[in-house]
Amino acid sequence: MNPVPTAENPFAGDNSGIQKRETAARWALRVGSYIVVIITLAIMLHIFIKGAPVTFQSKWPFVNTQFLTELPSQLHVIEDKQGNHYETGVNGADAIKKQLGDNFRSEKTIAYSGGGILGPIVGTALLVIVSVSVALFLGVACAIYLSEYAKHGKFLELVRLAILNLAGVPSVVFGLFGLGAFVLTAPVFVDVPADRSVFAIPLGFTTLSFEGWDTCVLSGGFTLAFVILPVIITASEQCLQAVPQGFRETSMALGATRWQTIRYSVLPFATPGILTSSILGIARAAGETAPIMFTAALAFKDKLPWQKDLPPLPADASIFAHWEQSVSRFLGIFTESVQALPYHIYTLAAKIPQNEYSERAQYGSVFVFLVLVASLAASSVLLRKRLRAKYRW
């Protein structure tokens, strides 16, 4: 006797207790996800509403060029006897008071809330460039060795465990590490070692002195590189291992060496994933505050890294006539201390009295900071998409 066909789904739930708990768990997970999204959107929307008016304006050129192109300075707020307020910088305060004469009532100053944020933008960009360059080179080299050359065993497991533990180290510890390793004891070539040199090695034509790089872009960049290094190593190694083993076997069967196989048959296909890790590294390097407090950042600086008091080059000299001095001046940018947006925001929020003028500088700085990080990340995403479209298997 043939079974009678039925329209009911034999796999459908029967509204039992198990089904109710399954539905409750699904809704709990959904609500948790919605809470995360809502909180994130609320924070971003709050920053956008408060910060966008500082950066943009209703009249031409629609972008507040003063805020983006001037260095931070002290804001002077002058009040006359009619209750009118005049906001100006250091140079304009005396002129306004002279113009008001007997009509002048009061004046107050707010630190870091005048001018713009060009110095912190430039400092953040330099720190990110140095840190990501160093971290990508060291991280990819380490990932290639661990994935392609190292033999599986306890030592390799210990190395990977150490890398994972390094990712959990607090950023302030990295700052102290950078202070000791790069600011105070990193090696430099000098003619005469400084008194603070730990030890010096005479080389005949010069001396290798372990006296540190001082507080500068290099010290901060190398410190941030070690902060983001675990993320880049782990992500890069996973991307290399995701490339099919057949690519390696085919390449080596055709006579290629191990390095040629990695260079032409493995690394190009892993590059899009490696760039993904660089995106995470850029976001974290740009947002770290504790490591650069000890190694690179200043709360206030009235000059950009390349605006040092140096004698000008002869005006009639060709571009290659003084190339040594030109190269020295360029490299000198990385030996200068800088301002940085995360530290600038921290200073505005925690080190000065809060009022309507400092709040405007805070939200404007945070808004520009988020746009800068998003722009760097978007550039990496576009580059990754191009490479992913080029290398498919």
Side-chain angles (χ1 to χ4, degrees):
M1 181 177 178
N2 295 329
V4 178
T6 176
E8 293 182 358
N9 183 1
F11 300 102
D14 57 355
N15 203 25
S16 63
I18 295 177
Q19 184 67 24
K20 290 180 180 178
R21 287 194 291 273
E22 177 68 20
T23 303
R26 185 173 66 248
W27 272 102
L29 297 174
R30 179 178 295 179
V31 170
S33 302
Y34 288 165
I35 290 174
V36 172
V37 173
I38 291 172
I39 292 175
T40 304
L41 288 177
I43 294 173
M44 300 298 291
L45 192 61
H46 184 71
I47 293 173
F48 181 82
I49 293 173
K50 294 272 191 176
V54 180
T55 307
F56 302 107
Q57 57 191 18
S58 58
K59 58 183 180 181
W60 176 261
F62 304 116
V63 176
N64 191 341
T65 54
Q66 179 187 3
F67 188 68
L68 297 177
T69 58
E70 291 188 3
L71 297 172
S73 63
Q74 197 174 52
L75 178 67
H76 290 249
V77 181
I78 299 171
E79 182 182 8
D80 61 17
K81 293 182 179 178
Q82 286 75 38
N84 300 315
H85 292 84
Y86 304 89
E87 300 175 19
T88 182
V90 177
N91 297 328
D94 292 337
I96 292 177
K97 286 190 287 187
K98 184 177 180 180
Q99 183 179 1
L100 291 176
D102 296 337
N103 198 23
F104 170 78
R105 170 177 290 177
S106 64
E107 177 186 7
K108 64 178 178 181
T109 58
I110 303 100
Y112 311 120
S113 298
I117 56 171
L118 178 61
I121 292 175
V122 170
T124 303
L126 289 174
L127 289 171
V128 168
I129 290 172
V130 173
S131 61
V132 173
S133 301
V134 174
L136 273 180
F137 173 75
L138 295 178
V140 173
C142 182
I144 291 175
Y145 175 76
L146 294 177
S147 175
E148 306 296 330
Y149 288 100
K151 294 181 180 179
H152 293 281
K154 291 186 177 180
F155 175 74
L156 186 59
E157 293 177 359
L158 285 175
V159 171
R160 286 175 175 156
L161 181 62
I163 293 171
L164 291 176
N165 289 331
L166 194 64
V169 174
S171 57
V172 67
V173 176
F174 278 108
L176 294 174
F177 159 74
L179 176 65
F182 302 118
V183 177
L184 299 178
T185 60
V188 293
F189 291 101
V190 294
D191 294 331
V192 180
D195 295 336
R196 66 174 188 276
S197 177
V198 179
F199 65 94
I201 303 175
L203 300 177
F205 61 96
T206 185
T207 301
L208 182 63
S209 174
F210 291 79
E211 59 188 52
W213 298 338
D214 291 328
T215 303
C216 63
V217 174
L218 277 182
S219 298
F222 272 75
T223 304
L224 288 174
F226 280 86
V227 174
I228 63 178
L229 201 52
V231 177
I232 292 181
I233 292 175
T234 305
S236 300
E237 188 181 0
Q238 291 175 353
C239 294
L240 291 169
Q241 292 175 347
V243 178
Q245 188 65 23
F247 285 24
R248 300 173 177 82
E249 295 171 350
T250 303
S251 175
M252 298 186 74
L254 293 174
T257 63
R258 175 65 65 89
W259 171 245
Q260 288 174 331
T261 298
I262 295 171
R263 171 69 180 83
Y264 298 105
S265 301
V266 178
L267 202 54
F269 297 96
T271 302
I274 294 173
L275 286 176
T276 303
S277 65
S278 73
I279 296 171
L280 300 175
I282 289 172
R284 183 169 183 188
E288 286 289 349
T289 304
I292 60 175
M293 288 173 63
F294 298 101
T295 56
L298 296 176
F300 178 77
K301 188 173 183 178
D302 59 353
K303 291 182 180 178
L304 294 172
W306 51 83
Q307 294 176 333
K308 294 190 293 187
D309 296 327
L310 296 174
L313 294 175
D316 56 345
S318 64
I319 189 171
F320 299 108
H322 299 274
W323 65 272
E324 291 182 349
Q325 294 184 35
S326 300
V327 171
S328 176
R329 288 168 186 251
F330 172 75
L331 296 178
I333 294 174
F334 300 96
T335 59
E336 288 288 313
S337 57
V338 292
Q339 291 182 289
L341 271 174
Y343 191 51
H344 182 65
I345 295 168
Y346 165 76
T347 304
L348 286 170
K351 298 295 183 182
I352 63 174
Q354 300 300 298
N355 52 54
E356 57 180 316
Y357 304 105
S358 62
E359 183 184 79
R360 186 181 56 190
Q362 289 172 22
Y363 281 105
S365 301
V366 174
F367 179 81
V368 173
F369 172 70
L370 292 180
V371 171
L372 180 63
V373 173
S375 301
L376 292 172
S379 302
S380 298
V381 169
L382 292 176
L383 183 59
R384 182 189 63 181
K385 284 187 175 180
R386 282 197 170 192
L387 292 175
R388 182 171 290 176
K390 184 178 180 181
Y391 298 104
R392 288 182 178 276
W393 70 83

